[in-house]
CSV table of all heavy atoms in Angstrom, one decimal:
chain,number,residue,atom,x,y,z
V,65,THR,N,45.4,-25.2,-23.3
V,65,THR,CA,46.3,-25.3,-22.1
V,65,THR,C,46.0,-24.3,-21.1
V,65,THR,O,46.8,-23.6,-20.5
V,65,THR,CB,47.8,-25.2,-22.6
V,65,THR,OG1,47.9,-23.9,-23.2
V,65,THR,CG2,48.2,-26.3,-23.5
V,66,THR,N,44.7,-24.1,-20.8
V,66,THR,CA,44.2,-23.2,-19.8
V,66,THR,C,44.7,-23.6,-18.5
V,66,THR,O,44.5,-24.8,-18.1
V,66,THR,CB,42.6,-23.1,-19.8
V,66,THR,OG1,42.2,-22.8,-21.2
V,66,THR,CG2,42.1,-22.1,-18.9
V,67,PRO,N,45.3,-22.7,-17.7
V,67,PRO,CA,45.7,-23.1,-16.4
V,67,PRO,C,44.5,-23.4,-15.5
V,67,PRO,O,43.5,-22.8,-15.6
V,67,PRO,CB,46.5,-21.9,-15.9
V,67,PRO,CG,46.1,-20.8,-16.7
V,67,PRO,CD,45.6,-21.4,-18.0
V,68,SER,N,44.7,-24.3,-14.5
V,68,SER,CA,43.6,-24.6,-13.6
V,68,SER,C,43.5,-23.5,-12.6
V,68,SER,O,44.5,-22.7,-12.3
V,68,SER,CB,43.9,-25.9,-12.9
V,68,SER,OG,45.1,-25.8,-12.2
V,69,VAL,N,42.3,-23.3,-12.0
V,69,VAL,CA,42.1,-22.3,-11.0
V,69,VAL,C,41.7,-22.9,-9.7
V,69,VAL,O,40.9,-23.9,-9.6
V,69,VAL,CB,40.9,-21.4,-11.5
V,69,VAL,CG1,40.5,-20.4,-10.4
V,69,VAL,CG2,41.1,-20.8,-12.8
V,70,ASN,N,42.4,-22.5,-8.6
V,70,ASN,CA,42.1,-22.9,-7.3
V,70,ASN,C,40.9,-22.1,-6.7
V,70,ASN,O,40.9,-20.9,-7.0
V,70,ASN,CB,43.3,-22.8,-6.4
V,70,ASN,CG,44.4,-23.8,-6.8
V,70,ASN,OD1,44.1,-24.9,-7.2
V,70,ASN,ND2,45.6,-23.4,-6.6
V,71,TYR,N,40.1,-22.7,-5.9
V,71,TYR,CA,39.0,-22.0,-5.3
V,71,TYR,C,38.9,-22.1,-3.8
V,71,TYR,O,39.3,-23.2,-3.3
V,71,TYR,CB,37.6,-22.5,-5.9
V,71,TYR,CG,37.4,-22.1,-7.3
V,71,TYR,CD1,37.7,-23.0,-8.3
V,71,TYR,CD2,36.8,-20.9,-7.6
V,71,TYR,CE1,37.5,-22.7,-9.6
V,71,TYR,CE2,36.6,-20.6,-8.9
V,71,TYR,CZ,36.9,-21.4,-9.9
V,71,TYR,OH,36.7,-21.1,-11.2
V,72,TYR,N,38.5,-21.1,-3.1
V,72,TYR,CA,38.2,-21.2,-1.7
V,72,TYR,C,36.7,-21.4,-1.6
V,72,TYR,O,35.9,-20.6,-2.2
V,72,TYR,CB,38.6,-19.9,-1.0
V,72,TYR,CG,38.5,-20.1,0.5
V,72,TYR,CD1,39.6,-20.5,1.2
V,72,TYR,CD2,37.3,-19.9,1.2
V,72,TYR,CE1,39.5,-20.6,2.6
V,72,TYR,CE2,37.2,-20.0,2.6
V,72,TYR,CZ,38.3,-20.4,3.3
V,72,TYR,OH,38.3,-20.6,4.6
V,73,THR,N,36.2,-22.4,-1.0
V,73,THR,CA,34.8,-22.8,-1.0
V,73,THR,C,34.2,-22.7,0.4
V,73,THR,O,34.8,-23.1,1.4
V,73,THR,CB,34.7,-24.3,-1.5
V,73,THR,OG1,35.3,-24.3,-2.8
V,73,THR,CG2,33.2,-24.7,-1.6
V,74,ILE,N,33.0,-22.1,0.5
V,74,ILE,CA,32.2,-22.1,1.7
V,74,ILE,C,31.1,-23.1,1.4
V,74,ILE,O,30.1,-22.8,0.8
V,74,ILE,CB,31.7,-20.7,2.1
V,74,ILE,CG1,32.8,-19.8,2.2
V,74,ILE,CG2,30.8,-20.8,3.3
V,74,ILE,CD1,32.4,-18.3,2.5
V,75,LYS,N,31.3,-24.4,1.8
V,75,LYS,CA,30.4,-25.5,1.4
V,75,LYS,C,29.0,-25.3,1.9
V,75,LYS,O,28.0,-25.6,1.2
V,75,LYS,CB,30.9,-26.8,1.8
V,75,LYS,CG,32.1,-27.2,1.0
V,75,LYS,CD,32.1,-28.7,0.9
V,75,LYS,CE,33.3,-29.2,0.1
V,75,LYS,NZ,32.9,-29.2,-1.3
V,76,GLU,N,28.9,-24.8,3.1
V,76,GLU,CA,27.5,-24.6,3.7
V,76,GLU,C,26.7,-23.6,2.9
V,76,GLU,O,25.4,-23.7,2.9
V,76,GLU,CB,27.6,-24.1,5.2
V,76,GLU,CG,28.3,-25.0,6.1
V,76,GLU,CD,29.8,-24.8,6.2
V,76,GLU,OE1,30.4,-24.1,5.3
V,76,GLU,OE2,30.4,-25.3,7.1
V,77,TRP,N,27.3,-22.7,2.2
V,77,TRP,CA,26.6,-21.7,1.4
V,77,TRP,C,26.5,-22.1,0.0
V,77,TRP,O,25.8,-21.5,-0.8
V,77,TRP,CB,27.2,-20.3,1.6
V,77,TRP,CG,27.0,-19.7,2.9
V,77,TRP,CD1,26.3,-20.2,4.0
V,77,TRP,CD2,27.7,-18.5,3.4
V,77,TRP,NE1,26.4,-19.3,5.1
V,77,TRP,CE2,27.3,-18.3,4.7
V,77,TRP,CE3,28.6,-17.6,2.8
V,77,TRP,CZ2,27.7,-17.2,5.5
V,77,TRP,CZ3,29.0,-16.6,3.6
V,77,TRP,CH2,28.5,-16.3,4.9
V,78,GLY,N,27.3,-23.1,-0.4
V,78,GLY,CA,27.4,-23.5,-1.9
V,78,GLY,C,28.0,-22.4,-2.8
V,78,GLY,O,27.6,-22.2,-3.9
V,79,VAL,N,29.0,-21.7,-2.2
V,79,VAL,CA,29.7,-20.7,-3.0
V,79,VAL,C,31.2,-20.9,-3.0
V,79,VAL,O,31.7,-21.5,-2.1
V,79,VAL,CB,29.3,-19.2,-2.5
V,79,VAL,CG1,27.8,-18.9,-2.8
V,79,VAL,CG2,29.7,-19.0,-1.1
V,80,LYS,N,31.8,-20.3,-3.9
V,80,LYS,CA,33.3,-20.4,-4.0
V,80,LYS,C,33.8,-19.1,-4.7
V,80,LYS,O,33.1,-18.4,-5.4
V,80,LYS,CB,33.7,-21.6,-4.8
V,80,LYS,CG,33.3,-21.6,-6.2
V,80,LYS,CD,33.7,-22.9,-7.0
V,80,LYS,CE,33.4,-22.8,-8.4
V,80,LYS,NZ,33.7,-24.0,-9.1
V,81,ALA,N,35.1,-18.9,-4.4
V,81,ALA,CA,35.8,-17.7,-5.1
V,81,ALA,C,37.2,-18.2,-5.4
V,81,ALA,O,37.8,-19.0,-4.7
V,81,ALA,CB,35.9,-16.6,-4.1
Side-chain angles (χ1 to χ4, degrees):
T65 57
T66 305
S68 61
V69 177
N70 293 324
Y71 289 94
Y72 190 93
T73 303
I74 303 175
K75 287 214 176 273
E76 296 89 346
W77 292 351
V79 295
K80 65 183 181 180

